[in-house]
Amino acid sequence: MSNHNICPLITMADSDLMSMIDSAVTLEKLKDSKINAIWLEATGCSGNIISLLDAKNPNALYFLEQMVNLTYNNSIMAKEGQQAFDIFLNTLDTEFILFVDGAVALKNNGKYNIVARNNEKDITALEAVKMAGERAKYVIAVGTCASHGGISAAYPNPSQCVSISKVLNREVINLPGCPCNPRWVIGTVAHIITKGKPALDNLNRPLLFYGHTIHDRCPRRSFFDRGIFASKLGEESCMFKLGCRGPVTRTDCPINKWNGHVNWPIGDNTPCIGCAQAYFPDGMEPFINY
Ligand code: SF4
């Protein structure tokens, strides 16, 4: 048997997440004091907003109706053009949370990623992130690209993408993951609105979700401890010798899994590829290789 333990203080189950929201303030009170939010899609694949829309317990509707007033999202909002960007500008004069999904392209002064037009002028993601990032109460980088550069900044990085913290001179809460698990977004916001900013680690990740390595709590850990390793994909033992990056990757995937606790990579016989780590993907390649 392995001697790894689950620490209840930094493991948030769905019931804990809901009770944190419900017990600290009543839903009505929360509704009245909902903080505004801007969600900026910079250089990425939209995977993080899609992941959020697939949230379960609480789901995305609960998040949008009860927890934040999402005024602007350049990927999914109904308004377009100047009408949409005016809402972005108006939100800057309020108290708001800025979510950024995707890295920021720096090449040619950010012209590799135009996110809006204002009075006939192109607005780059670089400009929009700076405009909102300097005034937001909290800045949350959603996903590995926003947190660390990720796939958008992978070699040879033709658009010179960087993380959000490289373009803002302030604290950024990082929620890496490719994509980011919706529980990490909703849980972080739930903590902010009910108890304030969650405790962060040295890479500004909430300890609630990034406090342990996957290896610490992997259900296959007893195989590792006994030196029983899979020699090919499909064998239900430790995948360390198939290149599993669980020993260096910090998320709560073994406990809370994905898609409403349905499954996760190791549960489906696929080694962890370290998608939530700072040097993903370049520093984690070659995948499936010891
Ligand atoms: S499968 Fe990966 S995370 Fe699980 S015990 Fe083996 S090396 Fe660790």
Side-chain angles (χ1 to χ4, degrees):
M1 287 290 290
S2 70
N3 60 359
H4 57 290
N5 295 316
I6 295 170
C7 173
L9 290 177
I10 50 176
T11 301
M12 187 186 278
D14 282 353
S15 55
D16 301 331
L17 184 53
M18 288 305 293
S19 72
M20 181 167 76
I21 296 167
D22 291 343
S23 66
V25 283
T26 66
L27 290 184
E28 277 313 305
K29 249 170 122 184
L30 193 59
K31 249 165 122 178
D32 291 345
S33 60
K34 274 199 308 181
I35 188 167
N36 285 338
I38 290 174
W39 184 297
L40 263 178
E41 171 89 29
T43 310
C45 66
S46 307
N48 295 296
I49 188 68
I50 292 169
S51 181
L52 182 74
L53 293 174
D54 284 337
K56 308 259 188 318
N57 196 27
N59 60 21
L61 205 55
Y62 183 97
F63 180 64
L64 298 173
E65 287 182 344
Q66 308 287 344
M67 294 174 64
V68 297
N69 181 31
L70 185 64
T71 59
Y72 181 88
N73 179 304
N74 51 316
S75 300
I76 59 170
M77 70 192 295
K79 285 198 168 52
E80 297 178 356
Q82 189 68 47
Q83 268 192 331
F85 201 68
D86 284 345
I87 295 172
F88 174 89
L89 294 173
N90 291 339
T91 306
L92 300 187
D93 293 328
T94 69
E95 186 173 273
F96 68 98
I97 297 173
L98 172 67
F99 299 94
V100 184
D101 172 0
V104 179
L106 298 182
K107 192 165 182 186
N108 290 355
N109 215 14
K111 290 226 163 48
Y112 276 55
N113 187 354
I114 309 292
V115 293
R117 279 176 72 74
N118 185 34
N119 298 325
E120 306 301 315
K121 177 184 173 290
D122 290 339
I123 302 293
T124 65
L126 175 62
E127 284 175 289
V129 167
K130 282 187 174 173
M131 284 165 87
E134 280 160 11
R135 298 172 74 168
K137 185 162 188 195
Y138 300 97
V139 178
I140 301 180
V142 184
T144 301
C145 292
S147 300
H148 305 301
I151 287 178
S152 300
Y155 180 82
N157 193 3
S159 55
Q160 294 171 2
C161 273
V162 296
S163 66
I164 306 313
S165 54
K166 291 235 167 87
V167 299
L168 292 179
N169 189 20
R170 59 163 296 165
E171 182 179 71
V172 175
I173 298 173
N174 289 322
L175 303 180
C178 193
C180 181
N181 192 310
R183 298 182 74 264
W184 306 337
V185 179
I186 296 175
T188 300
V189 174
H191 204 289
I192 284 173
I193 61 182
T194 59
K195 302 176 173 195
K197 189 182 75 178
L200 306 177
D201 69 6
N202 63 338
L203 293 178
N204 280 6
R205 301 170 295 187
L207 287 168
L208 279 169
F209 309 111
Y210 301 90
H212 290 277
T213 65
I214 285 175
H215 188 63
D216 283 341
R217 302 188 289 185
C218 180
R220 300 189 183 195
R221 176 62 181 269
S222 63
F223 291 107
F224 177 90
D225 291 344
R226 287 179 287 152
I228 301 172
F229 300 107
S231 58
K232 58 180 191 303
L233 292 174
E235 288 177 13
E236 293 199 19
S237 52
C238 174
M239 292 182 280
F240 184 66
K241 293 198 173 173
L242 298 177
C244 181
R245 304 295 191 256
V248 295
T249 304
R250 303 181 86 86
T251 67
D252 66 356
C253 295
I255 306 302
N256 287 307
K257 304 180 185 173
W258 287 77
N259 300 328
H261 309 283
V262 171
N263 208 348
W264 67 301
I266 289 173
D268 203 32
N269 277 326
T270 304
C272 167
I273 60 170
C275 78
Q277 279 313 96
Y279 299 105
F280 177 82
D282 293 348
M284 295 292 160
E285 287 177 329
F287 305 137
I288 324 288
N289 206 316
Y290 180 46

